[in-house]
Amino acid sequence: MRSHFNRWRRAVWQALAYRMVFGERDGPRGVRPHTRIAPSTCIQGAQGLRLADHVFIGQFNFLDAQGGLTLHEGVQITNFVSVLTHSSHRSVRLLGRHYVQHPQPLPGYVSAPVEIGAYSFIGPHSLIEPGARLGRGVVVCAYAQVRGEVPDFAIVAGQPARVVGDVRTRDAELLRQHPELAEHYRAWAGELPQGAP
């Protein structure tokens, strides 16, 4: 009897906690019918989140939107990713136990919005730091630590992340194999990559 109950409890938990459902609400801006956010993702300061449609946010992510977080159309955030728009670690070190009663602004406190461009992909276990601005079509490799500006179509890797490639190289190959997709690519990218049909 106990094992039947445990199987039932596990099935209910999986259905509630891990099921991806289409359709999210972006506050007063309306419904995003093709956007999916896993229920295990934590969004802190959701009022600061600007969410486009066709966004996918996987399991066990931490999205800090307090300082302003913009996710453009088609952004994919895999699993175990942290996107931060603020950091108090310096302030806490400087102020110690006086951190909670110190008047604003706090010395050393960092707060800056993050923007992730259209159809960018954020690999697992990555960290996007406050103030990062990723262009469109960016690929962030697993375990990358991203800060500052990332140009359109860049592939970035490492800690801190550095540009290691350009997604248009592979995109051109794929478009040669599937020329019927050129119109879809052009719709978000604006142009076809060099070498595409």
Side-chain angles (χ1 to χ4, degrees):
M1 184 67 151
R2 180 109 173 126
S3 106
H4 175 71
F5 175 74
N6 286 338
R7 277 197 308 271
W8 176 83
R9 189 173 69 181
R10 187 172 36 249
V12 168
W13 169 248
Q14 287 174 338
L16 293 175
Y18 296 104
R19 186 166 173 251
M20 297 298 286
V21 178
F22 278 89
E24 287 292 329
R25 187 163 257 319
D26 186 23
R29 290 173 292 280
V31 175
R32 305 298 182 235
H34 303 102
T35 288
R36 295 166 290 160
I37 301 175
S40 61
T41 284
C42 175
I43 301 174
Q44 182 177 343
Q47 69 281 0
L49 178 62
R50 300 292 177 264
L51 183 65
D53 205 4
H54 299 278
V55 170
F56 171 84
I57 301 171
Q59 304 287 353
F60 305 108
N61 297 297
F62 176 73
L63 306 182
D64 164 22
Q66 289 183 108
L69 173 57
T70 302
L71 303 178
H72 290 278
E73 182 178 285
V75 167
Q76 298 174 63
I77 298 175
T78 57
N79 304 306
F80 301 100
V81 171
S82 291
V83 179
L84 305 177
T85 62
H86 83 281
S87 179
S88 59
H89 70 282
R90 292 184 202 129
S91 298
V92 170
R93 265 197 328 273
L94 291 170
L95 295 167
R97 66 181 66 147
H98 299 286
Y99 173 81
V100 293
Q101 65 236 32
H102 193 278
Q104 301 288 332
L106 294 168
Y109 188 86
V110 175
S111 180
V114 168
E115 183 173 358
I116 301 178
Y119 294 93
S120 290
F121 174 88
I122 312 300
H125 301 280
S126 296
L127 168 63
I128 311 297
E129 293 187 2
R133 186 180 160 100
L134 285 66
R136 60 196 164 132
V138 168
V139 169
V140 175
C141 295
Y143 296 96
Q145 181 181 356
V146 181
R147 59 177 61 133
E149 297 275 333
V150 178
D152 292 347
F153 306 108
I155 301 170
V156 296
Q159 303 87 28
R162 304 263 188 262
V163 175
V164 296
D166 189 312
V167 298
R168 291 172 293 193
T169 303
R170 180 71 176 131
D171 291 350
E173 289 176 32
L174 290 168
L175 287 166
R176 278 195 300 276
Q177 294 170 22
H178 303 281
E180 71 279 7
L181 302 179
E183 182 181 334
H184 302 302
Y185 191 92
R186 231 187 248 107
W188 71 267
E191 60 186 49
L192 294 180
Q194 194 169 30

